[in-house]
Structures are given as C-alpha cells and as structure tokens.
Amino acid sequence: MEKSTMRQQVLLDHLKPETGRRAVANVVSSICSANDSAPYARTTDFLDDVVIVAAYRTAICRAKRGGFKDTYPDDLLAPVLRAVVEKTGVSPAEIGDIVIGSVLAPGAQRANECRMAAFFAGFPETVPVRTVNRQCSSGLQAVADVAAAIKAGFYDIGIGGGLESMTVNPMAWEGSVNPRVEADQRAQDCLLPMGITSENVAERYGVGRRQQDEAAVKSHAKAAAARASGRFKDEIIPVQTKIVNPKTGDEKKVVISEDDGIRPGTSLADLSKLKTVFKKSGTTTAGNSSQVSDGAAAVLLMKRRTALEKNLPVLGVFRSFAAVGVDPSVMGIGPAVAIPAAVKAAGLELSDIDLFEINEAFASQFTYCAQELGLDEEKVNVNGGAMALGHPLGATGARCTATLLHEMKKRGKDCRFGIVSMCIGSGMGAAAVFEQGGAIDPLSNARAVGQNNLLSRDAK
C-alpha cells in the first residue's frame, strides 16, 4: 500500500507545472486537446462517441391527397429501415433495438405495425422494436433514446426513427376530458388547439401576419430550389406503392421519391388572400402553418469504435439532447428554450452552431424563436421547412436529422455543428446537437482552450 502511494505521488509530481526544477529542453508544456479535455465537454473516449452512419427518409406527402394516401403505415416505415442496413452492409441481426417515434396512432396498434415493418424490411425476430411518443419531437426522442442506450452499453448498434400517417390517423381526442382541468389553467391549456397556441404566440410576442407569410414564402422557395437541384436525393428512399382512384377504385403502381407539398410559385400576394383558420381576428392561416403529412425516417447509430471496425464513414456525431417544458398556451416557443439548453449541454455556444433545422409548426412560433435567439437567417432551414415540406408528427425529428446531416456533409468541414429542434404540443421543446462526421479527428477542438488546470472535466 505504501509503495502504491509513493508511485501515485511520483506521477502527480510529473503532472505539476515546473517551478524550481529545470525543465527538460525538449519537453514543452501544452494543453491537451483530445478526449475529455475538449472545450465542447467531451466526457468519453473518442472511440466511445455515439455516431450516425446512415440517415434516410421517405418523401413527405400530403395527407389524404398525396402520394402515400393509400399506403399502409408499416409499408411506409419498412423501406427506410431496410435502407439503413442495406446501404451500410450492417447485418439486421446486429441491431440491438429499433425505436420508432409515432404520435397519433393507438399505441398498441402502432407498436405492432412497427414490428411488422421490421419483418417486412428483413429483420429477424431476435431484433426488438418499441415506440416512443413525445408528440412532435418523437422522432428526435427515438434517436436520442438509442444514443443514450448505446452510451449506457445496453447494445452496440441501434436504429432510431419516426413514422406518421396522418391520412390513416387524423388528429383527434378520444374519450371524455377529466373535469379536474377546470381547476388548473395549465391543464386546460394542454387541450388548446395548436392553431390557438400559434395565435397566442403571435399576439404575445408581436409576430405580424406579413412576417408569417414572408416566412412561408421563403420556406417554399428554398424547398423548391432544393428539390429542383436534387439536394434531397441523398436522403430520400424511393417507396414503391399504389395510388387508388377514389371514383373508380382502380389501382396504379407508383414510385414516390419527391416531396409533394412544395409549392414553387407561392407568393405574398397569394398568401395574403387566405382566411385565418383558428381566430377570426388572428394571423394564422393554412398557408403559414405546417402541412398535415405522411412520412417516415430512420437513423442508424453505433459507437465510433464499431464504425471504424466496420470501416463505415461517419455521417455525424450525437453530441447532446435536451427536452424542456414551457407554458402550454404558447407551446411554440419551445425551441427558444430547448436550443440554448442543448448547446450548453454540448459545451458549446450558440455562435458555434453552423446549421439549424427548426420545425416550422407555425410561422408565428418559428419566426419568434429565430428572432429571440438572434439566429442568422442563412443558417436556418436552408432547404425549407415544414410549411413547405410537411410535418408528419412522429417522423419529423428523424426527418430533420437526416436532412441536417446530409446538408452538413455537402457543406464540408466549414459546417461542423448543427441543431435539430421543434416545439411540442402541451408546452415543451426539444433540441439535439450533432457534429459533422468529416469535420473532426481525435485532436480537434471547437475553439482554443483558454486555460489548463491539468484536470479533466470528469475530475471536477
């Protein structure tokens, strides 16, 4: 025991800065910039980073009118589940868990549909499946849950994703409402129609009709440009399905590979003619709100060590996740609170973030959040958002993750950190920070380290 104590003391003496003793000429003290001393709060070994090696989505189509109106939800999910393993060469049997975010379908039914989708995609019965529901953030929550499970050592490889068919499962309240809500205003506000919360945000924070319509015009213009230039091709998995003629019942086989809610010619003049939907004297219209949509997405995660062993390129690194609560009556402000929380958890500053994917549930809340955080418009929803693309509730978080990571890859090493964020019904917000896979190495810091106290973050 005494010898062990002496050895520890010798080691500590070597770590102390030189004072009285003359330093060896060729030994220079410097700040270690690897692993858990990194200024973005890395607390694990570089090889233990949780990374994304594949992220794909279906096209997003208008509910009841679009390309997936006659597609079963499980047939919507299966193609993206198949894609993340086929395109990486990962054996389906290696997947430790599949977690799918979904909102509107009855829980037990959707859980079975997701299990069925896994079988349709070629996964063996040994691979478990579960669903998660945190409303509009469910797809992102699924990705975060898988990342946490891998980090905890529950399994080495997992899939997080999302699924929503708003054609099959429209938004509705089932059963009676607990009369106790009359005594609790916050509980009452959980029942507010989402459009009313949009009106509340617009009124409380001074977001006018013109601002909202301008945001919608920009969303459609950017999405149209991205689609026309093939910007989405790397992230979209074509889906073979059918379209049924409602009048004749005739079926036509089709392949859906493009988002069908984008309106390239959208103008302020057109949007200004639309009537408000939720409040006669309000500002929220169908044109400056997200579209009701069908879609699915899947993200394949594993430890960096596993990716290297399999010789798989890293698309992105999962750095942090935060879910927060806000006033239910203005639930749309969630990203303005969640984004700073996620950035702080990653050990970063808002100025470090190069790209933002913020769900455009409503133009009112999207505009408020971007302005409240002082975000550079050139960094936010560069390929459009939910007002143009659509918002399949449970899939949106995973869809945004795929869109963000593929865009970051296209932009190269100058685009290092990105954020996915959204508001959540009943008054919450969620956000996750990702680092571009090609932008880092074991010795790369986000910024210069100001001082070195010779202790790792874990030692504090």
Side-chain angles (χ1 to χ4, degrees), residues 194-237:
M194 294 298 95
I196 294 299
T197 70
S198 171
E199 294 289 6
N200 290 344
V201 170
E203 184 176 344
R204 185 177 301 184
Y205 301 106
V207 184
R209 169 72 182 266
R210 184 180 178 85
Q211 282 181 285
Q212 295 174 53
D213 288 348
E214 286 176 345
V217 169
K218 291 176 183 177
S219 183
H220 280 280
K222 289 188 284 187
R227 183 176 64 181
S229 65
R231 205 74 179 174
F232 296 131
K233 284 187 176 179
D234 291 342
E235 67 193 62
I236 293 180
I237 299 300

Side-chain angles (χ1 to χ4, degrees), residues 68 71 75 79 237-242 253-256:
F68 294 135
T71 303
D75 285 335
I237 299 300
V239 176
Q240 295 183 7
T241 185
K242 63 183 179 182
K253 291 184 178 180
V254 294
V255 176
I256 305 298

Side-chain angles (χ1 to χ4, degrees), residues 21-170:
R21 291 190 297 126
R22 181 171 58 88
V24 179
N26 63 350
V27 177
V28 180
S29 63
S30 63
I31 297 169
C32 175
S33 59
N35 300 326
D36 62 345
S37 61
Y40 52 92
R42 179 177 287 156
T43 57
T44 60
D45 182 79
F46 175 72
L47 294 176
D48 287 332
D49 283 339
V50 177
V51 303
I52 295 96
V53 297
Y56 298 109
R57 68 175 178 94
T58 67
I60 302 171
C61 297
R62 296 170 296 168
K64 300 186 183 299
R65 296 178 297 158
F68 294 135
K69 72 181 183 67
D70 300 306
T71 303
Y72 288 104
D74 27 336
D75 285 335
L76 201 53
L77 178 61
V80 290
L81 293 180
R82 184 185 302 112
V84 293
V85 290
E86 281 190 351
K87 289 181 176 291
T88 57
V90 173
S91 169
E94 294 183 88
I95 304 302
D97 201 3
I98 298 173
V99 182
I100 302 299
S102 190
V103 178
L104 298 177
Q109 178 178 327
R110 182 47 47 87
N112 281 336
E113 289 170 337
C114 291
R115 177 74 162 152
M116 291 158 58
F119 290 141
F120 295 154
F123 288 79
E125 63 188 28
T126 54
V127 177
V129 179
R130 72 173 172 90
T131 57
V132 60
N133 188 345
R134 198 197 287 270
Q135 301 200 59
C136 297
S137 71
S138 297
L140 183 61
Q141 186 68 59
V143 174
D145 284 2
V146 171
I150 292 173
K151 200 173 187 69
F154 295 165
Y155 46 80
D156 295 326
I157 308 174
I159 296 173
L163 166 67
E164 207 70 60
S165 174
M166 299 180 78
T167 294
V168 175
N169 305 111

Side-chain angles (χ1 to χ4, degrees), residues 3 30 36 101 105 120 171 187 196 201 208 257 263 275 293 297 322 334 396 404 428:
K3 289 183 178 180
S30 63
D36 62 345
F120 295 154
M171 298 180 71
I196 294 299
V201 170
S257 59
R263 298 188 295 274
K275 294 182 179 180
S293 311
T396 287
L404 176 78
M428 291 179 280

Side-chain angles (χ1 to χ4, degrees), residues 357-425:
E357 276 290 328
I358 302 176
N359 186 45
E360 299 170 350
F362 297 97
S364 61
Q365 57 84 210
F366 168 75
T367 300
Y368 165 76
C369 291
Q371 290 180 348
E372 175 68 11
L373 295 174
L375 303 184
D376 181 351
E377 187 177 308
E378 297 299 315
K379 295 182 177 182
V380 184
N381 293 4
V382 294
N383 293 319
M387 286 184 283
L389 297 170
H391 177 23
L393 307 184
T396 287
R399 192 283 296 174
C400 288
T401 299
T403 300
L404 176 78
L405 293 177
H406 282 281
E407 181 62 27
M408 290 174 71
K409 180 182 178 181
K410 290 180 177 72
R411 293 182 174 227
K413 292 188 177 182
D414 291 335
C415 187
R416 184 169 181 183
F417 294 104
I419 278 185
V420 170
S421 184
M422 66 282 297
C423 57
I424 305 170

